[in-house]
Amino acid sequence: MPDQLLVFAALETDARLAVCVAPKLAQEAARRHALAPGSASALAQALAGTVLLAASDRSPPQARVDVQLECGGPLKGLLTDADGSGAVRGLVRVNGLDRNGRRAAAAGEAGPGELLRRFDPRPVFASGLDERAGVLSIVRAEPGSDDLHRAAFPFAGADLGAALTLFLRNDRARGGEMALEVLFRPGEPLAAVAGALLWAQGEDAADELRALGKPLRQRVLHESMLRVESGDARALADELARALRLGPLQLEGGVKPRFACRCSRERVVRALATLARDELRDMAARDHGAEASCDFCGAHYGISAAELLGLAGDGQLLA
């Protein structure tokens, strides 16, 4: 099944439910960064959560959401950004962690009939001394505007879904309840990756739906994923609606989550153009050009010495 993010209306309970199923997205990010299972699982949760935030926000559509986590655990932190079209990218500070928060050894092969197991993020996100892990920062950028909406919250514990729920309760009038899960088996560190976001359409339903957030995070999403192993977002949404008693679901829209980077050669050139002329000339003479690599996607860009001199205003030297 392809990765999907679908948004539904539950008219009987005046609710909206967004479900993201994105193992392929998570697997691509893990390959790009050569991530060990613990680091890959943490990033998978963050990618699903960030694209859920962006795709569920319709005022205005296509706004970009950046999520940055600074934590006291072995992962140290992560950074993701997404827009309402489903484009998302991300990275973690420490790539080589296993699920116990230690440097990973070689992975074993899958055994026959291995059951799916639940990723526990605590050893990766939290320190061993206490559960006060750090700070979660979220920046929202509207298309065509230089205005940025910033919010920051303490990140206590290791539940990223709960932390993003705290942001939603403070940022959106009717709040929102988010849950994020990664399931694995030997040889398949990202066998299943999913997130769910539940929010009220009207004010009268907000408190009642808020009470569903804790069971959604603690067990309902996990158990529903075990019952729906096909990776079908619609089937998972129906199972969640049944478990939470939301009533029949009506599909409102959807996007395809995909790893997409906003880096480009033009951005590199614009960044170089902000340097002083003497710096550009020195780079051209000493290094015979400039090189840059994107931390998000690994793309490599080379800028020639002639281009650097052109940026410095030495057009007569570009023959």
Side-chain angles (χ1 to χ4, degrees):
M1 292 291 296
D3 288 354
Q4 296 175 298
L5 190 157
L6 302 178
V7 180
F8 300 90
L11 301 181
E12 289 185 4
T13 48
D14 202 17
R16 294 294 184 273
L17 174 66
V19 172
C20 177
V21 173
K24 293 179 175 62
L25 164 66
Q27 291 159 11
E28 179 178 353
R31 286 193 299 270
R32 284 179 178 270
H33 297 295
L35 300 182
S39 299
S41 298
L43 182 57
Q45 286 193 343
L47 291 169
T50 306
V51 77
L52 275 170
L53 285 179
S56 64
D57 188 359
R58 300 300 181 184
S59 54
Q62 310 305 313
R64 194 183 79 248
V65 176
D66 297 7
V67 174
Q68 182 174 1
L69 173 67
E70 302 288 338
C71 64
L75 189 70
K76 304 299 183 184
L78 56 80
L79 178 63
T80 55
D81 66 58
D83 63 29
S85 74
V88 60
R89 63 179 184 170
L91 55 85
V92 294
R93 287 197 172 183
V94 180
N95 290 358
L97 298 177
D98 65 16
R99 296 183 193 91
N100 295 315
R102 297 188 290 264
R103 289 290 177 177
E109 293 299 320
E114 291 282 358
L115 298 177
L116 288 171
R117 298 173 59 190
R118 188 182 197 183
F119 168 63
D120 179 0
R122 287 174 295 180
V124 176
F125 282 134
S127 68
L129 298 177
D130 56 50
E131 293 240 342
R132 185 171 179 78
V135 176
L136 182 70
S137 302
I138 298 171
V139 177
R140 184 174 176 277
E142 298 184 3
S145 172
D146 294 331
D147 294 333
L148 300 177
H149 174 67
R150 300 178 184 272
F153 300 90
F155 182 74
D159 189 335
L160 187 57
L164 292 174
T165 293
L166 179 60
F167 162 73
L168 288 164
R169 289 177 180 175
N170 286 272
D171 183 73
R172 300 185 185 178
R174 296 175 182 85
E177 301 296 318
M178 185 181 291
L180 302 166
E181 293 286 352
V182 173
L183 306 183
F184 67 93
R185 57 167 63 96
E188 290 185 88
L190 299 167
V193 177
L197 174 58
L198 178 67
W199 72 100
Q201 179 65 16
E203 293 183 6
D204 292 343
D207 289 341
E208 185 174 339
L209 292 178
R210 182 171 178 169
L212 299 177
K214 188 173 182 179
L216 178 65
R217 286 184 289 275
Q218 288 185 339
R219 60 177 180 81
V220 172
L221 178 58
H222 173 221
E223 293 172 356
S224 297
M225 290 171 68
L226 292 177
R227 285 191 285 267
V228 181
E229 287 195 43
S230 63
D232 185 336
R234 174 75 209 214
L236 180 58
D238 287 337
E239 184 61 32
L240 289 171
R242 184 200 62 78
L244 297 172
R245 299 182 180 178
L246 299 179
L249 297 179
Q250 177 179 313
L251 180 64
E252 290 194 327
V255 297
K256 180 181 179 181
R258 64 197 187 280
F259 194 99
C261 194
R262 294 182 286 111
C263 72
S264 67
R265 194 175 191 279
E266 290 72 23
R267 285 175 177 264
V268 175
V269 172
R270 287 200 299 270
L272 289 169
T274 64
L275 299 178
R277 291 180 177 182
D278 289 344
E279 291 182 82
L280 293 168
R281 291 170 183 142
D282 184 58
M283 292 171 64
R286 184 185 67 245
D287 302 323
H288 309 292
E291 295 184 351
S293 295
C294 177
D295 291 335
F296 283 99
C297 70
H300 181 79
Y301 300 99
I303 310 299
S304 69
E307 289 175 282
L308 292 177
L309 292 173
L311 292 173
D314 298 339
Q316 68 275 16
L317 301 179
L318 298 179

